[in-house]
Amino acid sequence: MVAGTKAETVIAIIEKIPLKERNLVKEITFDMASNMGLIAKKCFPNTTRITNRFHVQKLASEALQEIRIKYRW
């Protein structure tokens, strides 16, 4: 576990794990923060990166709510 979400800090800690071991990771799920995408891309270059479903659903629900309110008026 790493305290904080600063990309430089997290990358420095993860890079202590040998690349050979990090290359065994197949898939990473993360939130939509750009720093998380950067961390995943730099530290686990051969993985499939997946955005957390919760965050995608939240954005879609907010957009739908906006449209619903617009048409209601």
Side-chain angles (χ1 to χ4, degrees):
M1 194 176 292
V2 179
T5 58
K6 275 187 82 174
E8 300 83 29
T9 305
V10 177
I11 289 169
I13 292 170
I14 293 175
E15 285 182 337
K16 291 178 182 178
I17 301 169
L19 182 60
K20 186 177 180 179
E21 289 182 33
R22 288 186 277 138
N23 282 337
L24 296 174
V25 177
K26 304 275 186 233
E27 188 175 282
I28 293 179
T29 303
F30 56 94
D31 66 18
M32 297 178 80
S34 60
N35 60 332
M36 293 300 162
L38 176 64
I39 293 165
K41 188 175 183 178
K42 279 195 154 195
C43 295
F44 302 96
N46 299 323
T47 60
T48 301
R49 292 179 290 278
I50 300 169
T51 303
N52 183 322
R53 185 182 129 212
F54 168 80
H55 292 90
V56 174
Q57 279 183 300
K58 184 177 179 210
L59 281 178
S61 293
E62 289 170 358
L64 185 60
Q65 180 71 352
E66 223 174 274
I67 291 169
R68 189 185 68 76
I69 291 169
K70 180 181 172 184
Y71 281 104
R72 186 178 74 190
W73 291 107

